[in-house]
Amino acid sequence: MIDFNELIAAIFTTKNIIIYLVVINILTFLAMWWDKHEAKVGDWRISEKALFILVLLGGGIGGILGMYVFRHKTKKWYFRFGFPIILILEIILAVYLTLT
C-alpha cells in the first residue's frame, strides 16, 4: 500500500514545482496576449475573473509581464494593484512554508 505522505513528497518536488510555475506563467502571459488580440478585433474575450484565477494559481509574473508588454488592462486599478499584490502574497507564503 502506498503511503500518502510519500506520494505527496514524490509529486511536490522542487523540479515539479518549478515546471508548474513556468507553465502557468507562460499560460497567463499568453492569455493576456490573446485577450488583448481579441479586444482589438472585437471578438470573444477572456473574462477578467479567468485572468485573476490564472494569477491566483501562480501566474503572477506572466500576468504582470503580459499586462505591460501588451499594454493590456493597465488602466484598471484592480489589475495594476491586484496582480502585484497577489504575487507578493504568494511569495510571502512560499517563503513562510519553506522556512517552517
Side-chain angles (χ1 to χ4, degrees):
M1 188 166 180
I2 297 176
D3 180 24
F4 184 71
N5 289 332
E6 289 178 19
L7 180 62
I8 294 296
I11 292 172
F12 290 101
T13 64
T14 302
K15 178 182 174 185
N16 288 347
I17 292 170
I18 290 170
I19 290 169
Y20 170 78
L21 288 173
V22 168
V23 170
I24 193 69
N25 278 285
I26 290 170
L27 287 174
T28 307
F29 183 80
L30 292 174
M32 293 297 286
W33 166 78
W34 183 255
D35 193 49
K36 177 65 174 193
H37 168 73
E38 296 300 294
K40 286 181 179 179
V41 298
D43 212 350
W44 178 84
R45 304 277 305 274
I46 298 172
S47 71
E48 291 181 347
K49 180 180 178 180
L51 295 173
F52 267 98
I53 288 171
L54 286 169
V55 171
L56 284 167
L57 291 173
I61 295 170
I64 293 167
L65 283 175
M67 193 168 55
Y68 288 103
V69 167
F70 306 119
R71 294 186 184 142
H72 188 51
K73 306 283 188 190
T74 55
K75 292 183 180 179
K76 297 192 175 193
W77 68 268
Y78 46 92
F79 277 90
R80 252 191 357 252
F81 296 108
F83 281 12
I85 289 170
I86 292 168
L87 177 61
I88 289 167
L89 291 174
E90 288 176 341
I91 290 170
I92 290 169
L93 178 63
V95 169
Y96 174 79
L97 291 175
T98 302
L99 296 177
T100 59

